[in-house]
Amino acid sequence: MYQLKKVAKIFFRRREEWAIGIYCGDSPFNLKPHPQAVNPVLTAKDVTDTKANFVADPFMIYEGGSWYMFFEVLDRHDSRGKIALATSQNGVTWTYCQIVLEEPFHLSYPYIFKWNNEYYLIPETYQTKSVRLYKATDFPTQWVCAGILLDERSYVDATIFRHEQRWWIFTCAQAGNDTLYLHSSEDLLGLWTEHPQSPLIKGDASIARPAGRVLSMNGKLFRYTQDCQKIYGKQVNAFEITELTTTHYQEREVPENPILQPSNSWNNIGMHTIDPHKIAENQWIACVDGKKKSFVFKAFE
């Protein structure tokens, strides 16, 4: 008499995992993996206060001899993005600290900046159909919502900058990643108005969605954009803003494009956020993110 053996059924599913790395170069358009960094410098495994699926969307600021990096942690328990903090003394080796901002809705793309000796964050809050400004009450771990800058649309990746005594914000429509809006205001918490040429880009997912901080360099402005044409967040390009007034906008592609593209095992299928900072003459350091494809295996009897 034969005894039937239980056979395990093996299932697998594909998963895209984002992680964070450090790049450097002689310009913000010529960046390579930092030779002293072990990329990725931050992954989901570094998150200690929750179970994370991935980390992404890094932005950093240098204050008091230390680097502070803010980034998205996608919580495995509720599939909701939260904003976390890591610190570094040299910009190369990073220590995860904690989640510093969470809401009942998804948060990502934590654009950090300083104005009038105050620290501000503008994380993506598209589920609220608004762009919200957060202010530090105790930098870098305590934040409160200071106001709503834009509403009525599901904006993603709001990117703020100051130019000609005005504040400006690029945003993208969440649906399709193919529409770029521009608003401006005289005051950070004042009345924001949409530019008469907005949407600046419509129906082009290869150049519409912001990918990082707008740079002001040598009297010129540059914006980064992620290519979402074929897959979400495939690579990063840059454009020089050649004209920006309350009535006119023009830009042109920089010749160095693409600025970031898939390369190694940790970022072999995409890159979509960059935050470069000048640390010396012809020396730049940047936090970036990248995604890889992995497979999760499960066996059932």
Side-chain angles (χ1 to χ4, degrees), residues 239-252:
F239 286 79
E240 179 188 350
I241 301 169
T242 57
E243 184 177 11
L244 176 59
T245 69
T246 55
T247 57
H248 292 86
Y249 180 90
Q250 289 188 16
E251 66 180 23
R252 63 186 174 203

Side-chain angles (χ1 to χ4, degrees), residues 4-23:
L4 296 177
K5 295 182 178 181
K6 293 182 178 179
V7 178
K9 295 182 179 180
I10 299 176
F11 298 90
F12 69 91
R13 61 184 178 87
R14 193 180 79 169
R15 184 171 66 186
E16 295 181 354
E17 297 179 359
W18 289 92
I20 294 169
I22 297 295
Y23 277 33

Side-chain angles (χ1 to χ4, degrees), residues 270-283:
M271 301 186 77
H272 78 350
T273 307
I274 180 173
D275 188 22
H277 295 257
K278 187 177 182 179
I279 56 176
E281 190 65 28
N282 298 322
Q283 292 184 37

Side-chain angles (χ1 to χ4, degrees), residues 153-213:
R153 287 194 186 114
S154 295
Y155 297 105
V156 294
D157 296 350
T159 300
I160 193 169
F161 62 103
R162 191 161 174 82
H163 174 68
E164 297 293 341
Q165 304 302 311
R166 293 185 69 85
W167 290 99
W168 306 81
I169 292 181
F170 288 119
T171 58
C172 182
Q174 188 270 334
N177 301 315
D178 62 358
T179 306
L180 179 68
Y181 299 99
L182 177 63
H183 293 76
S184 73
S185 175
E186 291 183 351
D187 300 308
L188 185 58
L189 284 167
L191 176 65
W192 287 81
T193 57
E194 188 166 0
H195 195 278
Q197 288 181 231
S198 181
L200 305 177
I201 297 169
K202 192 172 183 179
D204 191 346
S206 69
I207 60 172
R209 187 162 178 162
R213 191 181 306 273

Side-chain angles (χ1 to χ4, degrees), residues 42-148:
L42 290 168
T43 72
K45 294 180 180 179
D46 294 304
V47 178
T48 56
D49 43 2
T50 191
K51 293 291 185 180
N53 281 334
F54 63 71
V55 296
D57 290 353
F59 286 88
M60 60 187 185
I61 190 169
Y62 186 76
E63 291 294 331
S66 297
W67 289 96
Y68 298 89
M69 185 193 296
F70 298 86
F71 53 95
E72 175 195 356
V73 167
L74 187 69
D75 196 311
R76 186 179 302 174
H77 300 298
D78 55 18
S79 297
R80 193 168 69 231
K82 299 168 184 179
I83 304 306
L85 169 71
T87 60
S88 174
Q89 295 300 306
N90 57 14
V92 176
T93 304
W94 290 84
T95 300
Y96 178 84
C97 296
Q98 65 184 82
I99 291 173
V100 297
L101 181 60
E102 59 180 299
E103 295 279 21
F105 42 84
H106 177 81
L107 299 173
S108 59
Y109 200 82
Y111 195 115
I112 176 74
F113 66 101
K114 187 178 182 180
W115 175 248
N116 287 342
N117 293 318
E118 301 283 359
Y119 302 92
Y120 295 94
L121 271 178
I122 300 184
E124 177 186 292
T125 56
Y126 79 92
Q127 289 181 340
T128 68
K129 292 188 176 181
S130 66
V131 173
R132 298 185 172 208
L133 178 72
Y134 289 79
K135 182 179 179 180
T137 56
D138 186 9
F139 181 85
T141 59
Q142 302 296 319
W143 300 86
V144 296
C145 183
I148 295 176

